[in-house]
Amino acid sequence: GKYQVYYRQSLNGGASWDDPVLLADDVSCSGYQRYGPSPVITSIYPGPAVCELVAVWVTSSGLRYRLWYYGHWESTTGTLDDGSYNDNVWFPSIMGHGSWASLTYDTRFYGVYSRKFNGSSWSSRSRVDDASTICDRISQVAVAPDNTVLAVWEAQKSGDSDYRIIYREGYSDN
């Protein structure tokens, strides 16, 4: 299907909202991405008095992102390429921490991955799960006060009809 991704902001704690801003139009998702673009957003602070927003969403061609600097969205949309897994990417989660952000996402049957955004560029992907399960999905990411990156996701082992909740600690360098 085709989707649109919007952004809105509230300057009074959610009592009212500014007009929506279109971030992406004609977003295509594959049949595997049945939950649509699943957009996520976070803020980071890469410099004094600088707030930057990072919005990420799913497409059939992989993850896309837009950056917000000095009160405006950049006009270009960036791409995070996962090669043959692009049409399987879903359920992104992002958390900003100081001057950087950590992103997790899964590729249906092909693993849970993370990337770090340092305010100007993304790291290469890093595998979060240990590849011992057949279905790892719906990851969430958090960052502890000591910069430790934390990820949780659900997993299913081969021959097991039950899912398990998996937890992993990582490092802020991805």
Side-chain angles (χ1 to χ4, degrees):
K2 296 282 187 173
Y3 299 89
Q4 295 176 318
V5 175
Y6 285 92
Y7 159 85
R8 288 184 98 168
Q9 71 177 3
S10 172
L11 300 175
N12 58 10
S16 63
W17 294 84
D18 290 351
D19 292 335
V21 174
L22 182 66
L23 292 183
D25 199 9
D26 290 328
V27 175
S28 294
C29 292
S30 74
Y32 299 120
Q33 298 162 325
R34 62 181 175 261
Y35 301 103
S38 305
V40 293
I41 191 169
T42 195
S43 59
I44 62 173
Y45 300 89
V50 176
C51 175
E52 182 177 319
L53 299 179
V54 184
V56 178
W57 61 92
V58 169
T59 76
S60 58
S61 300
L63 293 166
R64 298 290 186 259
Y65 68 93
R66 295 259 317 259
L67 304 175
W68 184 85
Y69 293 107
Y70 301 104
H72 301 284
W73 288 100
E74 286 191 340
S75 59
T76 58
T77 298
T79 301
L80 298 175
D81 187 11
D82 275 281
S84 62
Y85 301 136
N86 280 340
D87 67 345
N88 286 286
V89 171
W90 61 354
F91 298 116
S93 173
I94 193 167
M95 172 100 185
H97 187 77
S99 63
W100 55 274
S102 184
L103 170 73
T104 61
Y105 57 95
D106 71 76
T107 53
R108 287 181 46 91
F109 303 108
Y110 309 107
V112 175
Y113 294 91
S114 71
R115 291 178 186 257
K116 179 181 177 183
F117 181 71
N118 66 11
S120 61
S121 64
W122 292 90
S123 69
S124 59
R125 71 181 187 173
S126 175
R127 187 135 190 190
V128 176
D129 66 316
D130 67 2
S132 67
T133 56
I134 62 166
C135 189
D136 297 288
R137 58 176 68 171
I138 312 177
S139 64
Q140 292 292 312
V141 67
V143 181
D146 68 354
N147 291 337
T148 301
V149 178
L150 311 169
V152 295
W153 66 97
E154 65 181 41
Q156 181 184 27
K157 289 190 174 192
S158 182
D160 190 350
S161 62
D162 295 324
Y163 280 88
R164 307 284 190 260
I165 302 299
I166 309 293
Y167 163 84
R168 182 168 181 192
E169 289 185 28
Y171 298 100
S172 60
D173 63 354
N174 200 21

